[in-house]
Amino acid sequence: LVHISVKQMMVASACLRSLEVLIILAITLPTLINGQTQQPSCTDIQLLMKERRSGNYNLITNNTIIYKPVNVPDVKLTVRCQCTSGGGIPTWSFPNGSIASICVNENVKICVMDETHSKEIMFLPILKKIISGYYTCYTNNTSARFKLVVFGAPVITQPQHNVEIPLKRNSVVTLNCTAAGFGSLMYYWERKDSGNWITVDSNNKTSYKTSSIGQYRCNVTSEVRSVLSGVITIYGPPVFLTHPANHTVTVGMSVSLCCNVSSVAVVTYRWEMRNTGGASWSMINNSNSYKYVVRNIQQSQQYRCVAGNDAGAPISNVAIIQVISIKVTT
């Protein structure tokens, strides 16, 4: 029989308790490697998001986020990458391959907030360009990613720039507007009136018919913002401001005939003449100017100016050149 004294039993019990404490400490305390504390490795992560500053985080289930960066103070998309098993802080990478930068303030486009065992990306609506694509959160052992689809402003493909369209007399022109974008797009047609743009059609149509000259544009609105097309100028035929004048001359004299027109588009001119009392008009060669000089007049004749563009070619009033004889007395 081995006899153990009470004192020996007390010492053995104390040693066992000390060993238990050491085992617990070894399990729970971070490991020291080369004098530096090493956090337990993160082996599982999850992605959460909220769309407003005051909102709650929700788990991202389908790995796709549709973002509509409306410029409202409370709207701010935040995505959190969080370790659910183990420790450590994960890292983000962006679609362009760059590593996320740390937030200094909210004046940057995309930034990352450090928190215990998580990192957040903030997408701020005050900035126009946020990159669509895949954002990846990763650690040494695992990774997770989501696809960001940004609801940008609509893109108008027609008309992108200012255009001019002729409107012939007693006709109608159809204006067309095409645009691409996310979600539902609304189309409004506007016309410039006394310097202000007014809505002339709010029936959500991509085309608009008009028989009136003027300036028009298409306003395309999405859930994010509105964009304007190029200005469409509808123009008609030239309008005469002045007509060629009548003249009374003697034989051998010369006179200048002039016409002045107003036109949005380029104007082409030609002059025509006929003898007094004649029925048909003859085109005068090399008379492609607003001014025409009749030289060495021998008899009374009639002249007119034709000024045209792609919308039509109106004719001026008739200018009569009357030749008179001068009686010489001796």
Side-chain angles (χ1 to χ4, degrees):
L1 295 177
V2 179
H3 297 278
I4 301 175
S5 66
V6 174
K7 183 175 181 181
Q8 288 174 322
M9 291 179 65
M10 293 177 61
V11 171
S13 177
C15 289
L16 288 173
R17 285 196 299 272
S18 298
L19 180 60
E20 181 181 356
V21 171
L22 288 173
I23 292 173
I24 293 173
L25 288 174
I27 293 174
T28 57
L29 288 180
T31 307
L32 288 177
I33 299 178
N34 296 328
Q36 300 207 358
T37 302
Q38 301 295 312
Q39 293 289 344
S41 177
C42 178
T43 58
D44 192 19
I45 55 180
Q46 66 179 5
L47 299 176
L48 306 99
M49 62 167 285
K50 64 178 182 179
E51 294 185 282
R52 293 186 176 272
R53 298 173 190 268
S54 56
N56 297 319
Y57 281 97
N58 297 307
L59 188 66
I60 300 175
T61 56
N62 61 0
N63 294 332
T64 299
I65 298 176
I66 306 298
Y67 182 45
K68 304 171 185 178
V70 183
N71 193 9
V72 178
D74 190 44
V75 174
K76 180 194 71 170
L77 173 64
T78 305
V79 179
R80 171 176 288 182
C81 177
Q82 183 170 288
C83 282
T84 57
S85 176
I89 299 178
T91 302
W92 282 102
S93 66
F94 292 167
N96 58 10
S98 64
I99 303 300
S101 59
I102 302 300
C103 287
V104 178
N105 53 52
E106 292 194 0
N107 293 324
V108 297
K109 179 169 61 178
I110 305 174
C111 59
V112 173
M113 295 292 294
D114 273 313
E115 291 189 0
T116 304
H117 306 317
S118 67
K119 276 192 176 181
E120 294 181 347
I121 303 181
M122 294 192 303
F123 299 90
L124 305 176
I126 57 175
L127 298 140
K128 293 183 178 179
K129 288 189 176 180
I130 295 176
I131 304 173
S132 294
Y134 285 98
Y135 290 75
T136 304
C137 173
Y138 62 92
T139 66
N140 291 334
N141 299 299
T142 186
S143 65
R145 71 175 185 171
F146 70 93
K147 183 179 181 181
L148 181 68
V149 179
V150 180
F151 258 61
V155 177
I156 294 180
T157 56
Q158 178 191 4
Q160 294 178 310
H161 309 290
N162 298 344
V163 295
E164 297 175 350
I165 300 177
L167 175 65
K168 296 183 178 181
R169 183 173 298 179
N170 300 324
S171 64
V172 175
V173 296
T174 301
L175 312 182
N176 294 297
C177 179
T178 56
F182 294 100
S184 300
L185 300 180
M186 296 293 295
Y187 293 81
Y188 303 89
W189 287 94
E190 300 174 349
R191 184 177 186 272
K192 198 169 188 179
D193 186 11
S194 301
N196 299 316
W197 289 95
I198 60 173
T199 300
V200 292
D201 190 340
S202 58
N203 295 320
N204 194 26
K205 296 179 179 179
T206 58
S207 61
Y208 176 70
K209 293 183 178 181
T210 181
S211 58
S212 300
I213 63 173
Q215 290 183 308
Y216 298 83
R217 70 184 183 187
C218 179
N219 184 337
V220 182
T221 302
S222 71
E223 298 177 55
V224 178
R225 60 176 64 91
S226 298
V227 292
L228 298 172
S229 71
V231 175
I232 306 171
T233 301
I234 307 299
Y235 66 89
V239 176
F240 280 96
L241 301 178
T242 59
H243 295 265
N246 296 332
H247 293 272
T248 301
V249 298
T250 58
V251 174
M253 291 183 62
S254 300
V255 296
S256 293
L257 302 176
C258 296
C259 64
N260 186 21
V261 300
S262 172
S263 174
V264 171
V266 176
V267 178
T268 59
Y269 297 90
R270 75 173 186 268
W271 288 85
E272 298 176 343
M273 61 86 61
R274 70 179 179 184
N275 295 326
T276 301
S280 59
W281 292 87
S282 300
M283 186 178 69
I284 303 173
N285 294 329
N286 301 319
S287 60
N288 54 351
S289 174
Y290 72 96
K291 182 179 180 181
Y292 178 68
V293 179
V294 184
R295 304 180 187 278
N296 191 24
I297 299 172
Q298 299 297 315
Q299 61 181 3
S300 297
Q301 292 175 320
Q302 295 177 345
Y303 293 83
R304 66 184 186 184
C305 174
V306 181
N309 59 25
D310 289 338
I315 300 172
S316 71
N317 295 340
V318 176
I320 299 174
I321 298 180
Q322 185 177 3
V323 177
I324 61 174
S325 60
I326 300 177
K327 294 181 180 181
V328 179
T329 58
T330 58

